[in-house]
């Protein structure tokens, strides 16, 4: 029998970036806000102290800061004809767990999606004609434009102290920035990080080939910074331990040192950790949420937390899982293409070109999570797709993130994997290699979706989320096209050896790490028949439920998602404050 | 004294003559001119002795296996001398070996390669089963256990295992190899606190400086130039 708790105005499920932002914004507005987090609380001191935090095995290999799949995981199959089986250990992607969520252990690569990404369906139709999109592709516009989201991108970037070089301020092109980016109202709050040798070489080679390289925008602080909420961040030390780790110097913007402590200044915000939400409880008519039910994972006790507003701010996959478990919205059916919850799951296609230089020394261990140089010429709709026959693109990046030796020991093709020759080659090439990566978009496709698994259950006795997913021909064409350009730039850098062209060309595997950029499943749209949430990320079906995060993306772009996720969180918080509170109910007529 | 010299001195300061001498060797090692050799066994604290999980037969296999992957040569002592077999033993004995942070509920199906690990065994059980099956295979084919095979025969066995070409009872040979290979490389390159990488020999091998990493100035000072420092481990800083 669950214990019923005192009602609050707002209950937030998940305390990562989106939950932290809503907590800050809605508690500032005077609402009583409760944040529920399934994992533990961690603080920079003592949890991320040197030397303990510099433990590659514990954090990067054994996944200390990530979700524990012994308790909850998902099942996976490439296609509906297969039987989905559990992801028994982490691999392809690494969702976070605990206060700060993935915002603790991210690299800090912080982009805005381009204007065409936000209006992709319209853009493709106008530029290439309606017949250009292949059969089965579920191309969609975001129901809000880039221009509408711009102030919220800006707000996220200033809160997180992003280091970067603007390329377009109010329509004026700025030398050294990304000339393809949407107009921004002002420059980045901090200058770019210091360049590495490989970045300098990559930039020169890309420019020579006619591309437009720019420094990768970084949530790693290029200098000490105090954000508009009064939160202090330190200067990045290029320690090469960003992704997988917490930052001991508070030099990587993370929720636990920005929005969450800012919210905690408000007495009307409280945080409850190790509180695992198992469902959203609905009123009998199914149109309003009563609150949520959670289990205290320390004791196993169950609680009902009533709330006027429920915000799902878990990892995107978790948001979709909770909607399906709670019976909110019609589950998507790929056979009929009806239903909405679970629809539009997307991922990314990545590829790598490894270059080796006999006469160079890159000191790979001097790096930062987002240190790098990017070429955006073939991303989004920055180029004419007509001759190429696909939709989408990729950012092409030379990154200097780390040289941690369990994971990082690049070797030229054909090198033995063990023995004295392997040891000598590992020694020789460790400092003499750098890579170029593509981060490619992924379009929504009829057969790719999320649902509940019929067989496997989590530690709470609930069905696991089931992922049915594979790459599509459109996306293979994208990877082939953009990987060739990455390879061209790599060759122009003049390496002694270069890895062979290896675009993504085979079906999706959940085993090797690729990207923690899982999107969709509760997509935003204009129409309740084809989307799960409206333009304010409000459920079409349950009007006091907001579903915030990358789960709202109708398709995925060739960028890291956190900038867009942060913008959506501020956008939603603003809609709740300025629109919903005065007239609780659907903000968009269905 | 060059800037580089000053910087090295800053890092070597207070470490004692032995460590400084090792650092000097590493600094000159543009090409293999090793800091640690088989002829001069690893410095630093003695390797841990004794096994928690592996029985004597399994330990004999593991030592031979990690020594085949990581042979003693001019660049480093052998895997066993570096504590790699002990590292593997401790991992198998501990939470990871027992399947911590894995979803271990049935039902069990073989699955497709894209679906990943679907073995009902924990990693420790898988390694134990795999070693026994590989031992049986070697005795059947060569009349000798793996650890008594000659170098060429060992190489053939490891290569066949890596390619998944050996039929083993109860476990896929590729999965066994991938598991053992990952463990061995972790044992060479993980922080010495876990029992391997004795005297940071794995880090010295590639030139990884360890846990001290304040490079806000170095990234410009050493742009294009080799940066050498005595590697520092968690224990060194504790």
């Amino acid at each position: 029998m669950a214990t019923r708790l005192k009602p609050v105005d707002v209950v937030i499920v998940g305390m990562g970036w989106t939950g932290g932002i809503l907590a800050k914004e809605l508690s500032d507005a005077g609402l009583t806000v409760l944040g529920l987090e399934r994992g533990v609380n961690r603080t920079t001191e003592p949890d991320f102290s040197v030397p303990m935090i510099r433990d590659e095995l514990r954090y990067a290999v054994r996944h200390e800061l990530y979700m524990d799949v012994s308790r909850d995981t998902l099942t996976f199959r490439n296609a509906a004809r297969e039987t989905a089986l559990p992801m028994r250990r982490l691999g392809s992607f690494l969702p976070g767990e605990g206060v700060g969520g993935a915002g603790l252990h991210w690299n800090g690569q912080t982009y805005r999606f381009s204007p065409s990404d936000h209006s992709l369906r319209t853009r493709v139709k106008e530029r290439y004609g309606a017949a250009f999109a292949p059969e089965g592709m579920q191309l969609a516009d975001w129901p809000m434009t880039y221009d509408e989201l711009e102030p919220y991108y800006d707000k996220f970037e200033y809160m997180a102290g992003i280091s970067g070089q603007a390329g377009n301020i109010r329509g004026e092109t700025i030398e050294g920035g990304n000339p393809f980016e949407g107009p921004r109202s002002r420059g980045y709050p901090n200058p770019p990080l210091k360049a590495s040798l490989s970045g300098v070489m990559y930039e020169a080679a890309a420019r020579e080939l006619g591309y437009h390289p720019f420094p990768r925008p970084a949530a790693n602080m290029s200098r000490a910074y105090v954000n508009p909420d009064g939160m202090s961040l330190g200067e990045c030390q290029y320690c090469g331990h960003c992704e997988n780790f917490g930052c001991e110097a508070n030099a990587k913007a993370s929720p636990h040192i920005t929005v969450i402590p800012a919210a905690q200044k408000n007495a009307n915000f409280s945080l409850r950790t190790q509180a695992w939400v198992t469902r959203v409880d609905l009123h009998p008519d199914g149109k309003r949420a009563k609150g949520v039910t959670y289990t205290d994972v320390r004791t196993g006790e169950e609680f009902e937390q009533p709330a006027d507003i429920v915000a799902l701010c878990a990892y995107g996959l978790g948001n979709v899982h909770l909607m399906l478990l709670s019976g909110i919205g019609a589950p998507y059916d790929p056979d009929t293409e009806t239903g909405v919850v679970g629809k539009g799951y997307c991922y990314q296609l990545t590829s790598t070109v490894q270059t080796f230089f006999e006469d160079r020394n890159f000191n790979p261990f001097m790096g930062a999570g987002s240190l790098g140089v990017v070429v955006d010429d073939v991303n989004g709709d920055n180029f004419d797709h007509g001759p190429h026959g696909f939709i989408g693109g990729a950012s092409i990046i030379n990154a200097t993130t780390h040289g941690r030796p369990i994971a990082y020991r690049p070797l030229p093709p054909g090198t033995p994997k063990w023995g004295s020759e392997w040891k000598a080659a590992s020694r020789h090439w460790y400092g003499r290699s750098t890579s170029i990566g593509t981060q490619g978009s992924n379009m929504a496709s009829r057969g790719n979706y999320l649902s509940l698994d019929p067989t496997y259950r989590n530690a709470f006795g609930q069905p696991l989320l089931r992922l049915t997913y594979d790459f599509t021909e459109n996306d293979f064409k994208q990877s082939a096209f953009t990987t060739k350009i990455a390879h061209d730039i790599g060759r122009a850098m003049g390496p002694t050896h270069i890895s062979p062209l290896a675009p993504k060309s085979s079906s999706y595997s959940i085993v090797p790490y690729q990207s923690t950029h899982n999107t969709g499943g509760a997509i935003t749209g204009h129409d309740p028949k084809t989307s799960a949430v409206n333009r304010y990320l409000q459920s079409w079906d349950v009007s006091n439920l907001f579903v915030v995060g990358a789960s709202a993306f109708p398709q995925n772009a060739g960028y890291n998602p956190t900038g867009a996720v942060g913008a959506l969180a501020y956008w939603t918080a603003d809609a709740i404050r300025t629109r919903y509170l005065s007239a609780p109910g659907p903000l968009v007529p269905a | 004294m060059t800037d580089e010299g000053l910087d090295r001195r800053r890092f070597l300061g207070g470490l004692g003559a032995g460590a400084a001498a090792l650092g000097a060797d590493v600094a000159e090692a543009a090409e293999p001119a090793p800091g640690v050799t088989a002829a001069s066994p690893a410095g630093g604290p003695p390797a841990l002795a004794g096994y928690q999980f592996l029985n004597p037969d399994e330990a004999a296999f593991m030592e031979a296996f990690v020594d085949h992957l990581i042979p003693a040569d001019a660049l480093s002592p052998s895997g066993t001398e570096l504590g790699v077999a002990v590292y593997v033993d401790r991992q198998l004995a501990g939470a990871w070996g027992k399947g911590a942070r894995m979803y271990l509920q049935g039902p069990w199906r073989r699955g497709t390669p894209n679906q990943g690990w679907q073995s009902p065994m924990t990693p420790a059980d898988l390694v134990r089963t795999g070693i026994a099956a590989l031992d049986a295979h070697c005795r059947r084919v060569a009349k000798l256990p793996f650890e008594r095979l000659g170098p060429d025969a060992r190489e053939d066995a490891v290569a066949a295992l890596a390619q998944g070409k050996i039929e083993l009872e109860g476990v896929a040979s590729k999965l066994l190899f991938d598991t053992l290979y990952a463990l061995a490389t972790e044992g060479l390159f993980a922080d010495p606190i876990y029992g391997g990488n004795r005297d940071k020999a794995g880090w010295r091998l590639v030139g990884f400086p360890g846990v001290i990493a304040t490079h806000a100035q170095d990234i410009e000072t050493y742009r294009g130039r080799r940066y050498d420092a005595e590697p520092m481990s968690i224990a060194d800083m504790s």
Side-chain angles (χ1 to χ4, degrees):
Chain A
M1 189 64 190
T3 304
R4 192 178 158 86
L5 300 169
K6 195 166 149 257
V8 293
D9 295 331
V10 185
V11 65
I12 301 174
V13 181
M15 275 290 123
W17 272 128
T18 60
I21 288 169
L22 263 71
K24 162 72 168 64
E25 296 298 302
L26 299 181
S27 63
D28 277 357
L31 297 171
T32 312
V33 179
L34 171 65
L36 297 177
E37 165 55 46
R38 65 181 177 174
V40 299
N41 196 19
R42 295 185 187 89
T43 50
T44 302
E45 290 283 346
D47 295 303
F48 306 147
S49 295
V50 171
M52 280 183 70
I53 192 64
R54 300 274 166 76
D55 183 338
E56 183 185 9
L57 183 74
R58 177 178 177 182
Y59 292 100
V61 181
R62 300 281 184 255
H63 301 141
E64 174 92 5
L65 300 179
Y66 298 116
M67 69 181 276
D68 179 352
V69 299
S70 73
R71 200 156 57 176
D72 192 41
T73 183
L74 48 72
T75 65
F76 162 69
R77 56 184 179 175
N78 277 126
R81 66 178 177 276
E82 295 177 1
T83 302
L85 296 178
M87 178 174 76
R88 297 189 178 276
R89 47 166 51 155
L90 289 171
S92 170
F93 47 86
L94 303 169
E97 188 167 288
V99 173
L104 283 188
H105 55 69
W106 69 320
N107 261 328
Q109 299 158 15
T110 313
Y111 297 89
R112 298 177 175 197
F113 283 14
S114 70
S116 66
D117 290 326
H118 286 293
S119 309
L120 194 60
R121 184 187 175 88
T122 301
R123 174 76 173 230
V124 166
K125 198 173 156 194
E126 285 174 2
R127 193 169 179 184
Y128 309 108
F132 193 71
E135 209 271 326
M137 187 185 288
Q138 296 169 329
L139 209 54
D141 289 338
W142 294 47
M144 57 295 233
T145 63
Y146 170 83
D147 289 339
E148 287 180 290
L149 285 174
E150 199 284 333
Y152 304 95
Y153 274 119
D154 177 85
K155 187 160 185 173
F156 182 74
E157 288 166 357
Y158 272 72
M159 179 276 293
I162 304 305
S163 305
Q165 171 61 56
N168 178 345
I169 298 181
R170 293 186 296 277
E172 186 191 339
T173 302
I174 312 292
E175 187 62 33
N178 179 10
F180 300 101
E181 72 180 5
R184 47 179 75 240
S185 49
R186 53 181 170 165
Y188 286 102
N190 286 309
L193 295 167
K194 295 171 183 174
S196 67
L197 172 66
S198 67
V200 171
M201 291 165 58
Y202 176 76
E203 186 192 345
R207 219 174 273 293
E208 197 178 298
L209 293 180
Y211 300 115
H212 299 82
F214 62 96
R216 180 160 61 181
N220 324 117
M221 301 303 111
S222 57
R223 61 185 177 191
Y225 178 69
V226 179
N227 80 8
D229 301 324
M231 297 294 150
S232 293
L233 290 100
E235 183 188 348
C236 176
Q237 294 300 313
Y238 302 76
C239 75
H241 291 76
C242 252
E243 187 169 39
N244 306 304
F245 303 85
C247 179
E248 95 284 359
N250 283 342
K252 174 172 71 175
S254 297
H256 79 296
I257 54 169
T258 55
V259 286
I260 293 172
Q264 285 171 322
K265 289 181 180 173
N266 296 321
N268 47 328
F269 170 69
S270 54
L271 169 62
R272 210 167 289 157
T273 58
Q274 295 173 283
W276 187 292
V277 174
T278 49
R279 66 176 176 271
V280 178
D281 299 309
L282 301 179
H283 287 288
D285 67 2
K287 291 183 174 165
R288 303 273 299 171
K290 286 196 286 192
V292 301
T293 294
Y294 73 87
T295 298
D296 181 334
V297 298
R298 299 168 304 181
T299 62
E301 273 181 286
E302 198 168 63
F303 296 91
E304 278 177 28
Q305 177 59 62
D308 289 338
I309 297 172
V310 175
L312 299 185
C313 292
Y315 192 65
L317 294 167
N319 287 346
V320 179
H321 195 199
L322 273 173
M323 289 179 82
L324 290 167
L325 290 172
S326 308
I328 295 166
Y332 173 70
D333 179 344
D335 293 330
T336 57
E337 277 195 90
T338 56
V340 291
V341 180
K343 179 187 176 186
Y345 173 83
C346 289
Y347 195 52
Q348 285 185 320
L349 283 83
T350 57
S351 64
T352 304
V353 175
Q354 197 76 38
T355 58
F356 300 86
F357 295 83
E358 191 61 65
D359 58 350
R360 296 288 191 174
N361 196 328
F362 296 106
N363 294 321
F365 42 83
M366 296 179 192
S370 191
L371 179 58
V373 177
V374 185
V375 163
D376 224 17
D377 295 60
V378 291
N379 204 356
D381 198 41
N382 297 343
F383 63 107
D384 182 6
H385 289 70
H388 307 298
F390 68 87
I391 293 166
S395 47
I396 302 178
I397 310 121
N398 173 260
T400 307
T401 53
H402 79 95
R404 300 184 300 265
I406 298 174
Y408 184 83
R409 279 171 284 110
L411 292 168
T415 308
K417 279 185 78 177
W418 58 82
S420 285
E421 204 182 323
W422 167 71
K423 285 168 62 183
S426 299
R427 177 186 187 84
H428 183 75
W429 294 112
Y430 174 76
R432 292 182 169 94
S433 183
T434 186
S435 69
I436 300 162
T438 72
Q439 176 172 218
S441 61
N442 184 211
M443 298 300 129
S445 185
R446 182 188 295 159
N448 289 338
Y449 70 108
L450 300 165
S451 55
L452 291 178
D453 190 87
T455 306
Y456 294 94
R457 292 183 176 259
N458 68 13
F460 304 87
Q462 299 180 295
L464 297 183
L465 189 66
R466 178 176 66 181
L467 167 62
T468 305
Y469 179 75
D470 210 344
F471 300 132
T472 66
E473 204 50 43
N474 176 83
D475 303 315
F476 288 138
K477 286 183 191 171
Q478 175 272 112
S479 187
F481 180 73
T482 56
T483 304
K484 171 73 167 57
I485 290 168
H487 204 263
D488 289 345
I489 302 174
R491 281 189 304 158
M493 290 166 73
T496 316
H497 304 289
I498 188 166
S499 60
L501 258 180
K504 197 71 87 186
S505 60
S506 56
S507 61
Y508 171 70
S509 166
I510 205 156
V511 180
Y513 183 77
Q514 291 152 75
S515 156
T516 307
H517 304 158
N518 316 69
T519 67
I523 66 175
T524 179
H526 289 293
D527 183 346
K529 288 201 281 297
T530 54
S531 58
V533 297
N534 66 25
R535 72 195 303 258
Y536 302 110
L537 307 196
Q538 179 186 39
S539 163
W540 288 110
D541 298 279
V542 177
S543 63
N544 62 338
L545 177 72
F546 293 81
V547 186
V548 190
S551 48
F553 295 4
Q555 59 256 324
N556 206 357
Y559 297 111
N560 303 67
T562 306
V565 166
L568 283 177
Y570 277 117
W571 160 270
T572 303
D574 195 43
I576 293 172
R577 284 169 68 150
T578 61
R579 295 168 190 270
Y580 182 84
L581 291 178
S582 57
L587 296 175
V588 179
Chain B
M1 178 72 77
T2 63
D3 287 351
E4 192 170 1
L6 279 171
D7 198 83
R8 269 200 43 240
R9 202 170 50 184
R10 172 160 64 87
F11 274 87
L12 298 177
L15 288 174
L22 288 174
D25 278 352
V26 172
E28 289 156 13
E31 265 312 285
V36 181
T37 68
S40 61
L48 296 168
Y51 293 102
Q52 296 177 4
F53 175 82
L54 299 170
N55 69 30
D57 290 353
E58 292 164 344
F61 164 81
M62 196 61 72
E63 292 181 0
F65 182 81
V66 302
D67 288 351
H68 189 79
L69 264 48
I70 307 161
D73 57 22
L75 295 179
S76 83
S78 70
T80 299
E81 288 174 288
L82 294 177
V84 175
V86 168
Y87 166 86
V88 175
D89 174 75
R90 300 297 189 265
Q91 290 296 308
L92 296 174
W96 180 83
K98 300 294 180 277
R101 300 179 73 89
M102 288 182 75
Y103 184 83
L104 291 170
Q105 296 175 46
W108 303 94
R109 294 171 68 113
R110 189 183 293 266
T112 68
N114 287 348
Q115 291 175 308
W117 181 293
Q118 296 298 335
S119 167
M121 289 186 281
T122 63
D125 288 340
L126 183 130
V127 168
R128 175 154 280 161
T129 303
I131 292 175
L134 185 62
D135 184 69
H137 169 84
C138 292
R139 287 175 193 274
R140 193 165 58 244
V141 172
K143 313 283 184 232
L144 289 171
F146 177 84
E147 62 271 18
R148 291 184 54 204
L149 298 176
D152 291 348
R154 275 191 204 179
E155 174 62 19
D156 290 346
V158 172
L161 199 64
Q163 292 161 19
K165 285 183 178 166
I166 304 180
E167 281 297 318
L168 295 178
E169 177 72 29
V171 55
S173 57
K174 179 76 163 64
L175 178 61
L176 176 64
F177 177 81
D178 289 347
T179 302
L180 292 174
Y181 186 83
L183 285 166
T185 52
E186 288 161 16
L188 182 57
F189 294 109
D191 191 283
I193 201 169
Y194 295 100
N197 190 12
R198 186 178 170 211
D199 194 38
K200 301 160 278 190
W203 293 355
R204 294 179 202 283
L205 177 71
V206 295
F208 177 66
V211 302
I212 291 191
T214 48
H215 297 308
Q217 273 70 49
D218 298 333
I219 190 155
E220 292 188 325
T221 309
Y222 289 90
R223 188 180 290 145
R225 294 164 56 201
R226 188 184 172 89
Y227 172 89
D228 287 306
E230 168 69 16
M232 297 292 277
S233 68
I234 290 172
D236 293 334
M237 296 280 292
S238 300

